[in-house]
Amino acid sequence: NHAKTTLAKKFKLCGNLKMTSIDSPSLVEIRPDRIIHVSVNDRTSDSSCPTVIMIHGSCAHSGQWDSQVNWLLQQETALRIIRYDYFGCGQSMKPKENASEIYSASEHYADLLALYDRYCSESANVWVMGHSFGCAMAFRLAAEKKDNVRKLVLVAPPGLDFGKSLPSLFRLPVWILGWMQPVLTKAFITSAFHPNTIENLPELIKSENDISSANPPYMFKAFYQSQVEYYNTEANEEAWSKWFQTVIINVLVICGKNDNIVPFEKSQQLIEKLASSELKVVSNASHQVAQEQADTVNEFLATYLFGK
């Protein structure tokens, strides 16, 4: 009781405080035969309090949100924070059989819906945050769950030409992609991080290099082939048009000024389609802006989420 009272004084609670561990990662069978790694930071059992769901980018991992999660946990508002590794990514299971089917974009989105139903269905105040490819799923989720999603943050989102073409290397046989993986990983790191980050944060770079190197080639080949087909803004123009019309909340878009994967000009094109939005461009940052310039990104989040 004393611990509960002390914590209640620190946090502005919407209702009853739910005493759980600060971070409770676990493997969850989110759908039949699909076991994913989920982390839940739970401060409250009141459905009126915000529930934050964080969606990482292509073949990435939920740990890329660490700085934002740690910052959110320091805020006075009681929150429930949900983040996860896609099936086949991070600490989630990575089966090889039927790769082209089980790692398809439609299956990944079905996982996200199942995650939402399990952890967010009772919340009337959901905040969705996506990075890179995760922005596409976050945007669609915000459209399909428009009655409950109150905040939407897109970090380094793909532009309107997203999915128009598949890089030829992802058409190569899996064994060749495996042989090329060290080169591909190095190229990704060089493009995704600003030179200052690579020089000054070697531990971060090593960690991301190691995690990226652990991605099985059969998974990332299937992943990229499918996401291009599924989220092609031309082939699925009707769906995208509907989503743009449905998302009427103000959207925060954050980009690195030196993004070599998705230039921030592409995000400006996206903003023109949104009903209400604001673009924040961060200097000395590339595609992994939320990791590289966490303090700046968190300042933008403070204004958008909490009005600070």
Side-chain angles (χ1 to χ4, degrees), residues 187-224:
F188 167 75
I189 294 294
T190 302
S191 297
F193 290 93
H194 190 276
N196 290 349
T197 306
I198 294 174
E199 179 181 356
N200 298 323
L201 297 175
E203 292 184 2
L204 171 62
I205 298 304
K206 183 181 185 305
S207 175
E208 290 301 317
N209 183 86
D210 292 345
I211 294 173
S212 182
S213 297
N215 285 328
Y218 57 81
M219 180 277 291
F220 65 73
K221 176 179 180 175
F223 183 95
Y224 284 113

Side-chain angles (χ1 to χ4, degrees), residues 122-172:
E122 296 182 1
S123 176
N125 186 6
V126 178
W127 300 352
V128 182
M129 299 173 61
H131 173 247
S132 192
F133 168 73
C135 293
M137 294 211 294
F139 190 76
R140 181 179 177 183
L141 184 70
E144 296 183 354
K145 303 294 183 181
K146 61 183 179 64
D147 293 336
N148 288 35
V149 174
R150 307 292 179 82
K151 301 283 186 179
L152 177 59
V153 179
L154 306 179
V155 182
L160 295 178
D161 58 352
F162 176 62
K164 285 187 177 180
S165 62
L166 175 72
S168 58
L169 70 90
F170 292 115
R171 296 187 175 91
L172 294 173

